[in-house]
Amino acid sequence: MGQATRTTKLLLDLSKRKEGGANTGKRACLEKTVAVLEAARAFYLDFFLAHSQKLAERVVYYSEKHLEMRERAISANELLTWAEACTVETREHPHPWAGWNFSEQFPDLPFAYRRSVIKDAIGKARAHLSTRATWEKSGKKKGKPGLPGAAEHPTLYKGTWELDLSDSDVKHRFVRLKVYDGLSWQWVNYPLKCSRHFQQRHREPGWEQASPLLILTKEDAALHFPQTRHVEAKKVKESKLDPELVTVAVDLNVRNLAVITVRQRGQIIETVFVTDHGLDQARYRQLKKIAKKQWLSGKPVTGEHSNQQIWRHVRRMNEDAAHQVAHRIAQVCANYPGCVLLFERLRKIKPKGASKSRRMNRRQANQLRGKINQYAREQAFATCSTCTVEVNPHGTSQYCSRCGKPGERFSYRGGKRVSEKWGKLFWCPHCRYQAHADFNGSANVHHSFFQEFHWKPRPQRSG
Ligand SMILES: [Zn+2]
């Protein structure tokens, strides 16, 4: 039993007016809204930090289950009601606390927005107080946690946005948002970049929808809808007892981004190689450009990002590749219902030595592997309730997957076998087994999971 999460994104169209996008005034409204909400969040963050004893309050309640009075921590909803009573002018509470009059400082702020910033502030204040408590407990002098910032993507509760998807024309859709234009709060229509894909995901049965976040960046604005789904999944311990269990192992590498092997009853029944289609080379070329520019311009200016365009391109390439590979892995898992997905615990390929661009490329490759791992496990869990296990990566590329003895890597140079550490092929001198090195590594991941060969649990030493 578990919960799968995902985000469905809906882009607002902020392209030029002629091309059907929102006008610049509308864009400015979004920026002002985010700024006002940040100020409001800062207000409540200060308020909660000034009254931190309230956050730690215990509440006595009557438990129906245990038939007695019990104690529990104060809930976020109770805190919200309390904070509103202290700071907001209403008929029941005509006089907010001195110095904490929210209604005066933020007149007409819609109550749905007010509630969302109070909830954000409670979360931030609680997180800050707990990290500070652990820091105080540790007795360290350095590393005192600083005060939390108030920036956050605003959550749009009911009453601040309206989205009508009933219109048959997908291309011409709008979302109504309650925004601040600098003087008052208005409903404004924003054109969307809506697609059938969005609609399908948005309405897919089984997924529960939470309030969307308004994500405003330098270039784009979007609504992100968090979605959750309950997933019934068997415990891995139980599945491991099943002799028919299918395991899907993934070996993540640089050139062969992923080598997927599927094993049942001790035999590999399917193998999929996912190559990077030259991504590593392309990224290396881009990073070489950056390294050269940095070298030409001397020391980088502090506080200024250089080569933004190239970095963005590199990040995009990585992100794209990660999603594609993850999708492929999830597809394989979907073919074998009830299977278990295996990854190695990630080890880093150390970005040491070599040229600067080489090192930067290594670092990017490491990040890519981490992303593939994360996306693949999320997708496999959400689409076919496959659980993921991380196994001990020790020696998966050095040992023979057939007999379990140490072997060596080599490549062919002019028809001759040359043994070298980075060779593409694997050879076992004990049983004369020969295979693609990444395939051998992937097959070993299964052995590591089932604790075969040298991955056997060691007998406990006594005395
Ligand atoms: Zn062997």
Side-chain angles (χ1 to χ4, degrees):
M1 195 61 188
Q3 207 175 41
T5 55
R6 72 178 189 191
T7 307
T8 301
K9 300 173 186 173
L10 178 60
L11 251 70
L12 305 191
D13 192 352
L14 297 179
S15 58
K16 287 192 185 104
R17 183 100 177 99
K18 258 187 272 168
E19 292 155 23
N23 60 35
T24 41
K26 284 188 180 181
R27 208 208 134 99
C29 284
L30 286 180
E31 277 156 18
K32 281 174 194 155
T33 308
V34 170
V36 168
L37 292 178
E38 191 174 323
R41 204 175 293 118
F43 175 95
Y44 276 110
L45 195 52
D46 288 344
F47 178 76
F48 282 113
L49 290 178
H51 303 93
S52 53
Q53 74 287 355
K54 184 77 187 176
L55 290 173
E57 198 176 276
R58 309 286 296 174
V59 182
V60 179
Y61 73 105
Y62 181 74
S63 162
E64 295 281 347
K65 196 173 155 200
H66 301 93
L67 301 175
E68 59 174 12
M69 300 304 282
R70 296 205 148 203
E71 242 191 32
R72 62 170 167 77
I74 191 165
S75 74
N77 278 330
E78 285 161 336
L79 280 169
L80 184 133
T81 321
W82 171 77
E84 284 193 324
C86 302
T87 56
V88 181
E89 251 180 71
T90 56
R91 213 174 288 158
E92 291 96 62
H93 311 275
H95 304 293
W97 292 4
W100 295 110
N101 194 338
F102 185 80
S103 323
E104 207 174 77
Q105 285 189 39
F106 299 92
D108 305 327
L109 193 113
F111 72 94
Y113 275 132
R114 185 178 68 224
R115 293 206 168 143
S116 91
V117 295
I118 294 178
K119 279 270 173 79
D120 293 344
I122 293 172
K124 277 170 176 275
R126 274 201 164 142
H128 171 70
L129 292 174
S130 85
T131 45
R132 206 179 61 188
T134 28
W135 172 75
E136 275 165 3
K137 229 189 241 167
S138 72
K140 281 182 198 153
K141 278 193 182 152
K142 274 188 188 170
K144 181 178 179 180
L147 286 174
E152 184 139 327
H153 298 300
T155 312
L156 303 179
Y157 285 3
K158 223 180 186 175
T160 59
W161 65 285
E162 273 169 24
L163 179 62
D164 185 15
L165 293 177
S166 58
D167 192 356
S168 59
D169 189 0
V170 182
K171 287 272 162 64
H172 297 99
R173 290 226 166 110
F174 289 86
V175 62
R176 279 182 89 206
L177 297 177
K178 193 116 193 195
V179 295
Y180 188 63
D181 64 1
L183 297 165
S184 60
W185 290 86
Q186 310 267 358
W187 282 105
V188 175
N189 284 323
Y190 286 88
L192 294 171
K193 288 182 188 165
C194 196
S195 64
R196 278 201 194 85
H197 171 72
F198 165 78
Q199 224 160 317
Q200 207 181 6
R201 264 175 86 104
H202 186 69
R203 287 182 177 166
E204 200 175 325
W207 287 91
E208 252 175 71
Q209 199 100 232
S211 299
L213 300 174
L214 172 64
I215 312 286
L216 187 65
T217 59
K218 236 187 250 170
E219 290 88 24
D220 296 312
L223 299 180
H224 284 195
F225 293 85
Q227 291 177 303
T228 53
R229 190 170 106 171
H230 283 291
V231 174
E232 303 272 350
K234 245 189 181 173
K235 286 221 170 90
V236 173
K237 253 190 189 166
E238 286 168 33
S239 329
K240 212 169 175 177
L241 299 173
D242 180 5
E244 298 289 300
L245 172 71
V246 177
T247 47
V248 178
V250 182
D251 185 37
L252 298 176
N253 286 291
V254 178
R255 290 281 164 71
N256 285 309
L257 282 178
V259 178
I260 311 165
T261 52
V262 184
R263 181 177 126 161
Q264 191 177 29
R265 277 179 251 116
Q267 271 191 340
I268 303 288
I269 52 175
E270 191 186 342
T271 308
V272 181
F273 276 74
V274 188
T275 60
D276 73 343
H277 298 290
L279 169 76
D280 193 57
Q281 280 294 313
R283 195 176 50 210
Y284 177 64
R285 276 196 300 276
Q286 300 288 348
L287 293 171
K288 216 152 83 180
K289 266 192 224 161
I290 295 180
K292 191 172 177 194
K293 274 189 176 173
Q294 283 181 353
W295 179 74
L296 283 173
S297 58
K299 265 193 179 174
V301 185
T302 41
E304 193 180 287
H305 279 289
S306 38
N307 303 308
Q308 285 186 9
Q309 302 256 335
I310 305 181
W311 275 117
R312 193 178 308 144
H313 180 63
V314 167
R315 269 201 302 274
R316 278 239 173 107
M317 284 200 297
N318 259 3
E319 196 73 15
D320 243 37
H323 278 297
Q324 275 178 28
V325 178
H327 184 66
R328 193 74 193 84
I329 294 170
Q331 265 181 337
V332 173
C333 290
N335 290 339
Y336 303 95
C339 67
V340 174
L341 178 61
L342 309 177
F343 275 101
E344 292 175 294
R345 242 188 338 265
L346 285 181
R347 40 201 162 117
K348 268 188 189 163
I349 299 169
K350 272 186 197 149
K352 235 169 52 180
S355 64
K356 178 161 188 178
S357 25
R358 229 356 191 327
R359 286 194 311 262
M360 289 199 286
N361 201 17
R362 276 281 154 278
R363 212 168 288 143
Q364 290 297 318
N366 281 335
Q367 277 187 7
L368 175 58
R369 281 152 21 107
K371 268 188 193 150
I372 294 175
N373 184 320
Q374 187 202 336
Y375 295 161
R377 67 170 60 206
E378 282 172 5
Q379 225 186 86
F381 190 64
T383 53
C384 45
S385 40
T386 302
C387 283
T388 303
V389 179
E390 292 207 324
V391 303
N392 179 6
H394 180 264
T396 40
S397 59
Q398 284 102 10
Y399 288 85
C400 170
S401 65
R402 193 162 81 177
C403 69
K405 296 218 169 76
E408 56 193 27
R409 295 177 79 149
F410 72 96
S411 20
Y412 279 111
R413 288 270 171 76
K416 270 188 187 167
R417 190 184 278 176
V418 187
S419 102
E420 51 193 10
K421 231 174 115 187
W422 51 88
K424 269 189 188 165
L425 298 163
F426 178 89
W427 181 67
C428 171
H430 303 276
C431 69
R432 318 238 141 216
Y433 175 64
Q434 192 172 308
H436 192 288
D438 295 337
F439 170 79
N440 184 58
S442 186
N444 269 333
V445 173
H446 297 280
H447 292 310
S448 181
F449 174 68
F450 287 109
Q451 304 189 311
E452 293 154 348
F453 301 147
H454 88 281
W455 291 278
K456 263 191 203 112
R458 293 203 185 139
Q460 292 270 318
R461 270 192 213 163
S462 54

